[in-house]
Amino acid sequence: DADGAVTFMNPVAAQMTGWQADAALRRPVDEIFRLADEEGRPLLNPVTECIASGLRKYVDEDSVLHTRFGRTYEVRSCISLIEAPGGSISGAVLVFQDTSRSRAVQRQLAHSAMHDGLTGFANRSAFEARLADMLAQARAEQRSHALCFIDLDHFKPVNDKAGHAAGDALLRKVATALGLRTRRGDFVARIGGDEFALLLVDCPVKNACDIAGAVIEAISGIEFEWQGVRHRIGASIGVTVVGPDASDISSLMAEADAAC
C-alpha cells in the first residue's frame, strides 16, 4: 500500500523470501524484501524509495535477495506505482525474478573468454589487458615491474610422439610448477601453445631473474611419464622491464620474446 506495507504476496514470492503470505501481510516491505549488493552491503528498499520519490517505474538488474532464513537469490526486480483516481499514489506492485542461474552462466562465459581452459591461467587477451594496466601504472607512479616470457623446450616432441592428451597433461604440470614459483599478486598467463608469460609486480630485474631461474629449475625437474615412457622438458625465459620509459605493450612483448 501507500505506506509500504504488504497487502498481497503470491506463493512464489513467499517461497523466495521465506515469509508465508499471512505472516507477511501488513508488515513493512523493507522487512520482507531485503536486498544487498554483490559484496553483501544492504541496499535501500526500492519499493519504499519509489513510493517516497514518486518514481513511476523502477527496474533493478543485479541485486541479491536475502531471505528470512539466510538463503540468497540473485534477482531482477521491477516496481510500478499504482495511481488512484486523481493521480495520488495508492501503492505499488513489486515483481522479482530469480536470475541466479543465468548470471552464473554469464560469469562463466566471461571467465572463459579471458582464461585458458586447460591451465586455468589468464589467456593472451587478458594478459595484454593487464600488461597495459601495469604499463600505465608504471608511467603514472614511476614504478617498475618485470615481464617474463617463457618458452618450453622439448615440448613439441612430447606432443608429436605421445599425443595431445599427453601434451595437455604435461602443460597442467607446468602450470602447477609456475603457480608454486610465483609470488602473491603476480600475474601468470598461457599466451600460446607452449608459451607462458609472467608479470612480476614491483620487481627489480635481479629479483625477476632469480624467479626466472627458480621457474626454469622447477620445469626442468618435472617428472612426467606417459604410457611407460618418461619425458623431460626445459624452459627458456626472457625478462624485460615494464617501467616509465617503456613505449607500448607490443614492444614489451617483443623485447621479452627476443630476450627469451
Side-chain angles (χ1 to χ4, degrees), residues 80-108:
S80 296
L81 294 186
I82 303 170
E83 290 189 20
S88 63
I89 303 301
S90 63
V93 176
L94 162 66
V95 179
F96 57 98
Q97 175 185 16
D98 181 5
T99 59
S100 303
R101 181 173 297 179
S102 62
R103 283 162 66 179
V105 170
Q106 289 173 357
R107 285 192 292 269
Q108 181 61 44

PDB file of all heavy atoms in Angstrom, residues 80-108:
ATOM      1  N   SER A  80       6.340  -0.931 -10.034  1.00  0.00           N
ATOM      2  CA  SER A  80       5.459   0.030 -10.704  1.00  0.00           C
ATOM      3  C   SER A  80       4.508   0.604  -9.673  1.00  0.00           C
ATOM      4  O   SER A  80       3.902  -0.145  -8.887  1.00  0.00           O
ATOM      5  CB  SER A  80       4.648  -0.652 -11.812  1.00  0.00           C
ATOM      6  OG  SER A  80       5.508  -1.135 -12.827  1.00  0.00           O
ATOM      7  N   LEU A  81       4.377   1.910  -9.641  1.00  0.00           N
ATOM      8  CA  LEU A  81       3.461   2.555  -8.704  1.00  0.00           C
ATOM      9  C   LEU A  81       2.018   2.446  -9.198  1.00  0.00           C
ATOM     10  O   LEU A  81       1.763   2.401 -10.408  1.00  0.00           O
ATOM     11  CB  LEU A  81       3.828   4.022  -8.524  1.00  0.00           C
ATOM     12  CG  LEU A  81       5.177   4.311  -7.859  1.00  0.00           C
ATOM     13  CD1 LEU A  81       5.329   5.808  -7.614  1.00  0.00           C
ATOM     14  CD2 LEU A  81       5.331   3.543  -6.550  1.00  0.00           C
ATOM     15  N   ILE A  82       1.081   2.397  -8.253  1.00  0.00           N
ATOM     16  CA  ILE A  82      -0.351   2.346  -8.560  1.00  0.00           C
ATOM     17  C   ILE A  82      -0.947   3.716  -8.269  1.00  0.00           C
ATOM     18  O   ILE A  82      -0.803   4.240  -7.158  1.00  0.00           O
ATOM     19  CB  ILE A  82      -1.062   1.278  -7.699  1.00  0.00           C
ATOM     20  CG1 ILE A  82      -0.404  -0.091  -7.908  1.00  0.00           C
ATOM     21  CG2 ILE A  82      -2.546   1.222  -8.037  1.00  0.00           C
ATOM     22  CD1 ILE A  82      -0.882  -1.137  -6.930  1.00  0.00           C
ATOM     23  N   GLU A  83      -1.593   4.269  -9.273  1.00  0.00           N
ATOM     24  CA  GLU A  83      -2.204   5.594  -9.116  1.00  0.00           C
ATOM     25  C   GLU A  83      -3.698   5.466  -8.811  1.00  0.00           C
ATOM     26  O   GLU A  83      -4.422   4.716  -9.472  1.00  0.00           O
ATOM     27  CB  GLU A  83      -2.017   6.429 -10.375  1.00  0.00           C
ATOM     28  CG  GLU A  83      -0.586   6.872 -10.611  1.00  0.00           C
ATOM     29  CD  GLU A  83      -0.482   7.883 -11.739  1.00  0.00           C
ATOM     30  OE1 GLU A  83      -1.512   8.505 -12.067  1.00  0.00           O
ATOM     31  OE2 GLU A  83       0.619   8.043 -12.292  1.00  0.00           O
ATOM     32  N   ALA A  84      -4.132   6.186  -7.819  1.00  0.00           N
ATOM     33  CA  ALA A  84      -5.554   6.266  -7.513  1.00  0.00           C
ATOM     34  C   ALA A  84      -6.193   7.330  -8.396  1.00  0.00           C
ATOM     35  O   ALA A  84      -5.496   8.156  -8.995  1.00  0.00           O
ATOM     36  CB  ALA A  84      -5.741   6.617  -6.039  1.00  0.00           C
ATOM     37  N   PRO A  85      -7.525   7.326  -8.515  1.00  0.00           N
ATOM     38  CA  PRO A  85      -8.181   8.423  -9.252  1.00  0.00           C
ATOM     39  C   PRO A  85      -7.763   9.782  -8.692  1.00  0.00           C
ATOM     40  O   PRO A  85      -7.714   9.981  -7.485  1.00  0.00           O
ATOM     41  CB  PRO A  85      -9.682   8.146  -9.001  1.00  0.00           C
ATOM     42  CG  PRO A  85      -9.745   6.675  -8.757  1.00  0.00           C
ATOM     43  CD  PRO A  85      -8.479   6.326  -8.030  1.00  0.00           C
ATOM     44  N   GLY A  86      -7.415  10.661  -9.569  1.00  0.00           N
ATOM     45  CA  GLY A  86      -6.940  11.974  -9.137  1.00  0.00           C
ATOM     46  C   GLY A  86      -5.424  12.079  -9.155  1.00  0.00           C
ATOM     47  O   GLY A  86      -4.877  13.161  -8.945  1.00  0.00           O
ATOM     48  N   GLY A  87      -4.732  10.931  -9.377  1.00  0.00           N
ATOM     49  CA  GLY A  87      -3.280  10.971  -9.534  1.00  0.00           C
ATOM     50  C   GLY A  87      -2.480  10.692  -8.288  1.00  0.00           C
ATOM     51  O   GLY A  87      -1.248  10.644  -8.345  1.00  0.00           O
ATOM     52  N   SER A  88      -3.120  10.499  -7.144  1.00  0.00           N
ATOM     53  CA  SER A  88      -2.350  10.186  -5.928  1.00  0.00           C
ATOM     54  C   SER A  88      -1.860   8.740  -5.971  1.00  0.00           C
ATOM     55  O   SER A  88      -2.384   7.896  -6.712  1.00  0.00           O
ATOM     56  CB  SER A  88      -3.218  10.404  -4.684  1.00  0.00           C
ATOM     57  OG  SER A  88      -4.326   9.523  -4.706  1.00  0.00           O
ATOM     58  N   ILE A  89      -0.830   8.439  -5.201  1.00  0.00           N
ATOM     59  CA  ILE A  89      -0.234   7.104  -5.174  1.00  0.00           C
ATOM     60  C   ILE A  89      -0.946   6.253  -4.124  1.00  0.00           C
ATOM     61  O   ILE A  89      -1.009   6.623  -2.941  1.00  0.00           O
ATOM     62  CB  ILE A  89       1.280   7.174  -4.859  1.00  0.00           C
ATOM     63  CG1 ILE A  89       1.985   8.052  -5.889  1.00  0.00           C
ATOM     64  CG2 ILE A  89       1.879   5.779  -4.819  1.00  0.00           C
ATOM     65  CD1 ILE A  89       1.845   7.580  -7.312  1.00  0.00           C
ATOM     66  N   SER A  90      -1.522   5.135  -4.556  1.00  0.00           N
ATOM     67  CA  SER A  90      -2.227   4.261  -3.618  1.00  0.00           C
ATOM     68  C   SER A  90      -1.416   3.022  -3.247  1.00  0.00           C
ATOM     69  O   SER A  90      -1.827   2.242  -2.395  1.00  0.00           O
ATOM     70  CB  SER A  90      -3.566   3.822  -4.221  1.00  0.00           C
ATOM     71  OG  SER A  90      -3.355   3.062  -5.408  1.00  0.00           O
ATOM     72  N   GLY A  91      -0.278   2.829  -3.889  1.00  0.00           N
ATOM     73  CA  GLY A  91       0.548   1.669  -3.568  1.00  0.00           C
ATOM     74  C   GLY A  91       1.519   1.354  -4.683  1.00  0.00           C
ATOM     75  O   GLY A  91       1.799   2.200  -5.537  1.00  0.00           O
ATOM     76  N   ALA A  92       2.015   0.138  -4.674  1.00  0.00           N
ATOM     77  CA  ALA A  92       2.995  -0.275  -5.683  1.00  0.00           C
ATOM     78  C   ALA A  92       2.901  -1.780  -5.899  1.00  0.00           C
ATOM     79  O   ALA A  92       2.443  -2.534  -5.026  1.00  0.00           O
ATOM     80  CB  ALA A  92       4.412   0.097  -5.240  1.00  0.00           C
ATOM     81  N   VAL A  93       3.338  -2.205  -7.061  1.00  0.00           N
ATOM     82  CA  VAL A  93       3.450  -3.633  -7.376  1.00  0.00           C
ATOM     83  C   VAL A  93       4.927  -3.949  -7.559  1.00  0.00           C
ATOM     84  O   VAL A  93       5.630  -3.266  -8.312  1.00  0.00           O
ATOM     85  CB  VAL A  93       2.681  -3.986  -8.665  1.00  0.00           C
ATOM     86  CG1 VAL A  93       2.905  -5.452  -9.018  1.00  0.00           C
ATOM     87  CG2 VAL A  93       1.199  -3.702  -8.496  1.00  0.00           C
ATOM     88  N   LEU A  94       5.382  -4.965  -6.847  1.00  0.00           N
ATOM     89  CA  LEU A  94       6.769  -5.437  -6.955  1.00  0.00           C
ATOM     90  C   LEU A  94       6.767  -6.810  -7.609  1.00  0.00           C
ATOM     91  O   LEU A  94       6.080  -7.726  -7.142  1.00  0.00           O
ATOM     92  CB  LEU A  94       7.411  -5.524  -5.567  1.00  0.00           C
ATOM     93  CG  LEU A  94       8.688  -6.374  -5.436  1.00  0.00           C
ATOM     94  CD1 LEU A  94       9.837  -5.742  -6.217  1.00  0.00           C
ATOM     95  CD2 LEU A  94       9.067  -6.542  -3.967  1.00  0.00           C
ATOM     96  N   VAL A  95       7.510  -6.936  -8.684  1.00  0.00           N
ATOM     97  CA  VAL A  95       7.712  -8.241  -9.332  1.00  0.00           C
ATOM     98  C   VAL A  95       9.201  -8.542  -9.307  1.00  0.00           C
ATOM     99  O   VAL A  95      10.007  -7.682  -9.657  1.00  0.00           O
ATOM    100  CB  VAL A  95       7.214  -8.218 -10.801  1.00  0.00           C
ATOM    101  CG1 VAL A  95       7.456  -9.572 -11.460  1.00  0.00           C
ATOM    102  CG2 VAL A  95       5.732  -7.864 -10.851  1.00  0.00           C
ATOM    103  N   PHE A  96       9.582  -9.746  -8.868  1.00  0.00           N
ATOM    104  CA  PHE A  96      11.003 -10.084  -8.879  1.00  0.00           C
ATOM    105  C   PHE A  96      11.200 -11.515  -9.369  1.00  0.00           C
ATOM    106  O   PHE A  96      10.317 -12.366  -9.249  1.00  0.00           O
ATOM    107  CB  PHE A  96      11.652  -9.852  -7.512  1.00  0.00           C
ATOM    108  CG  PHE A  96      11.027 -10.589  -6.359  1.00  0.00           C
ATOM    109  CD1 PHE A  96      11.563 -11.777  -5.891  1.00  0.00           C
ATOM    110  CD2 PHE A  96       9.907 -10.063  -5.728  1.00  0.00           C
ATOM    111  CE1 PHE A  96      10.998 -12.440  -4.826  1.00  0.00           C
ATOM    112  CE2 PHE A  96       9.335 -10.725  -4.652  1.00  0.00           C
ATOM    113  CZ  PHE A  96       9.873 -11.919  -4.190  1.00  0.00           C
ATOM    114  N   GLN A  97      12.361 -11.731  -9.937  1.00  0.00           N
ATOM    115  CA  GLN A  97      12.657 -12.995 -10.620  1.00  0.00           C
ATOM    116  C   GLN A  97      14.021 -13.492 -10.191  1.00  0.00           C
ATOM    117  O   GLN A  97      14.976 -12.704 -10.081  1.00  0.00           O
ATOM    118  CB  GLN A  97      12.623 -12.753 -12.137  1.00  0.00           C
ATOM    119  CG  GLN A  97      13.022 -13.943 -12.991  1.00  0.00           C
ATOM    120  CD  GLN A  97      13.072 -13.580 -14.459  1.00  0.00           C
ATOM    121  OE1 GLN A  97      13.097 -12.403 -14.809  1.00  0.00           O
ATOM    122  NE2 GLN A  97      13.116 -14.572 -15.322  1.00  0.00           N
ATOM    123  N   ASP A  98      14.142 -14.785  -9.968  1.00  0.00           N
ATOM    124  CA  ASP A  98      15.424 -15.400  -9.622  1.00  0.00           C
ATOM    125  C   ASP A  98      16.291 -15.485 -10.877  1.00  0.00           C
ATOM    126  O   ASP A  98      15.950 -16.175 -11.840  1.00  0.00           O
ATOM    127  CB  ASP A  98      15.176 -16.802  -9.058  1.00  0.00           C
ATOM    128  CG  ASP A  98      16.462 -17.515  -8.649  1.00  0.00           C
ATOM    129  OD1 ASP A  98      17.539 -16.896  -8.717  1.00  0.00           O
ATOM    130  OD2 ASP A  98      16.382 -18.698  -8.264  1.00  0.00           O
ATOM    131  N   THR A  99      17.415 -14.764 -10.877  1.00  0.00           N
ATOM    132  CA  THR A  99      18.326 -14.778 -12.033  1.00  0.00           C
ATOM    133  C   THR A  99      19.654 -15.441 -11.693  1.00  0.00           C
ATOM    134  O   THR A  99      20.631 -15.271 -12.412  1.00  0.00           O
ATOM    135  CB  THR A  99      18.585 -13.336 -12.520  1.00  0.00           C
ATOM    136  OG1 THR A  99      19.171 -12.576 -11.438  1.00  0.00           O
ATOM    137  CG2 THR A  99      17.298 -12.672 -12.974  1.00  0.00           C
ATOM    138  N   SER A 100      19.695 -16.201 -10.595  1.00  0.00           N
ATOM    139  CA  SER A 100      20.957 -16.790 -10.134  1.00  0.00           C
ATOM    140  C   SER A 100      21.608 -17.651 -11.208  1.00  0.00           C
ATOM    141  O   SER A 100      22.812 -17.556 -11.461  1.00  0.00           O
ATOM    142  CB  SER A 100      20.717 -17.628  -8.873  1.00  0.00           C
ATOM    143  OG  SER A 100      20.125 -16.865  -7.854  1.00  0.00           O
ATOM    144  N   ARG A 101      20.815 -18.512 -11.847  1.00  0.00           N
ATOM    145  CA  ARG A 101      21.389 -19.433 -12.835  1.00  0.00           C
ATOM    146  C   ARG A 101      21.901 -18.689 -14.059  1.00  0.00           C
ATOM    147  O   ARG A 101      23.020 -18.933 -14.523  1.00  0.00           O
ATOM    148  CB  ARG A 101      20.357 -20.482 -13.240  1.00  0.00           C
ATOM    149  CG  ARG A 101      20.888 -21.502 -14.243  1.00  0.00           C
ATOM    150  CD  ARG A 101      19.910 -22.618 -14.481  1.00  0.00           C
ATOM    151  NE  ARG A 101      19.668 -23.386 -13.252  1.00  0.00           N
ATOM    152  CZ  ARG A 101      18.836 -24.420 -13.179  1.00  0.00           C
ATOM    153  NH1 ARG A 101      18.154 -24.799 -14.251  1.00  0.00           N
ATOM    154  NH2 ARG A 101      18.682 -25.065 -12.045  1.00  0.00           N
ATOM    155  N   SER A 102      21.105 -17.761 -14.589  1.00  0.00           N
ATOM    156  CA  SER A 102      21.534 -17.058 -15.800  1.00  0.00           C
ATOM    157  C   SER A 102      22.758 -16.198 -15.531  1.00  0.00           C
ATOM    158  O   SER A 102      23.660 -16.097 -16.369  1.00  0.00           O
ATOM    159  CB  SER A 102      20.392 -16.195 -16.352  1.00  0.00           C
ATOM    160  OG  SER A 102      20.008 -15.201 -15.418  1.00  0.00           O
ATOM    161  N   ARG A 103      22.834 -15.582 -14.340  1.00  0.00           N
ATOM    162  CA  ARG A 103      24.004 -14.762 -14.033  1.00  0.00           C
ATOM    163  C   ARG A 103      25.234 -15.614 -13.784  1.00  0.00           C
ATOM    164  O   ARG A 103      26.358 -15.211 -14.104  1.00  0.00           O
ATOM    165  CB  ARG A 103      23.688 -13.847 -12.858  1.00  0.00           C
ATOM    166  CG  ARG A 103      22.824 -12.665 -13.313  1.00  0.00           C
ATOM    167  CD  ARG A 103      22.112 -11.964 -12.207  1.00  0.00           C
ATOM    168  NE  ARG A 103      23.012 -11.300 -11.282  1.00  0.00           N
ATOM    169  CZ  ARG A 103      22.584 -10.599 -10.235  1.00  0.00           C
ATOM    170  NH1 ARG A 103      21.291 -10.482 -10.002  1.00  0.00           N
ATOM    171  NH2 ARG A 103      23.440 -10.012  -9.426  1.00  0.00           N
ATOM    172  N   ALA A 104      25.049 -16.827 -13.249  1.00  0.00           N
ATOM    173  CA  ALA A 104      26.177 -17.741 -13.094  1.00  0.00           C
ATOM    174  C   ALA A 104      26.724 -18.142 -14.463  1.00  0.00           C
ATOM    175  O   ALA A 104      27.940 -18.232 -14.664  1.00  0.00           O
ATOM    176  CB  ALA A 104      25.756 -18.977 -12.304  1.00  0.00           C
ATOM    177  N   VAL A 105      25.824 -18.385 -15.409  1.00  0.00           N
ATOM    178  CA  VAL A 105      26.251 -18.713 -16.776  1.00  0.00           C
ATOM    179  C   VAL A 105      27.000 -17.543 -17.400  1.00  0.00           C
ATOM    180  O   VAL A 105      28.035 -17.715 -18.055  1.00  0.00           O
ATOM    181  CB  VAL A 105      25.039 -19.109 -17.644  1.00  0.00           C
ATOM    182  CG1 VAL A 105      25.434 -19.219 -19.114  1.00  0.00           C
ATOM    183  CG2 VAL A 105      24.445 -20.426 -17.161  1.00  0.00           C
ATOM    184  N   GLN A 106      26.495 -16.317 -17.183  1.00  0.00           N
ATOM    185  CA  GLN A 106      27.164 -15.134 -17.721  1.00  0.00           C
ATOM    186  C   GLN A 106      28.570 -14.983 -17.147  1.00  0.00           C
ATOM    187  O   GLN A 106      29.520 -14.665 -17.873  1.00  0.00           O
ATOM    188  CB  GLN A 106      26.343 -13.884 -17.408  1.00  0.00           C
ATOM    189  CG  GLN A 106      25.052 -13.788 -18.195  1.00  0.00           C
ATOM    190  CD  GLN A 106      24.172 -12.643 -17.740  1.00  0.00           C
ATOM    191  OE1 GLN A 106      24.501 -11.945 -16.781  1.00  0.00           O
ATOM    192  NE2 GLN A 106      23.055 -12.435 -18.414  1.00  0.00           N
ATOM    193  N   ARG A 107      28.700 -15.224 -15.823  1.00  0.00           N
ATOM    194  CA  ARG A 107      30.027 -15.129 -15.205  1.00  0.00           C
ATOM    195  C   ARG A 107      30.962 -16.192 -15.757  1.00  0.00           C
ATOM    196  O   ARG A 107      32.150 -15.941 -15.995  1.00  0.00           O
ATOM    197  CB  ARG A 107      29.906 -15.246 -13.685  1.00  0.00           C
ATOM    198  CG  ARG A 107      29.369 -13.998 -13.014  1.00  0.00           C
ATOM    199  CD  ARG A 107      29.558 -14.060 -11.508  1.00  0.00           C
ATOM    200  NE  ARG A 107      28.721 -15.083 -10.917  1.00  0.00           N
ATOM    201  CZ  ARG A 107      27.485 -14.867 -10.463  1.00  0.00           C
ATOM    202  NH1 ARG A 107      26.948 -13.670 -10.557  1.00  0.00           N
ATOM    203  NH2 ARG A 107      26.791 -15.854  -9.914  1.00  0.00           N
ATOM    204  N   GLN A 108      30.426 -17.399 -15.979  1.00  0.00           N
ATOM    205  CA  GLN A 108      31.253 -18.468 -16.526  1.00  0.00           C
ATOM    206  C   GLN A 108      31.722 -18.140 -17.936  1.00  0.00           C
ATOM    207  O   GLN A 108      32.884 -18.365 -18.297  1.00  0.00           O
ATOM    208  CB  GLN A 108      30.470 -19.781 -16.525  1.00  0.00           C
ATOM    209  CG  GLN A 108      31.249 -20.984 -17.046  1.00  0.00           C
ATOM    210  CD  GLN A 108      32.489 -21.275 -16.223  1.00  0.00           C
ATOM    211  OE1 GLN A 108      32.436 -21.251 -14.994  1.00  0.00           O
ATOM    212  NE2 GLN A 108      33.605 -21.547 -16.877  1.00  0.00           N
TER     213      GLN A 108
END
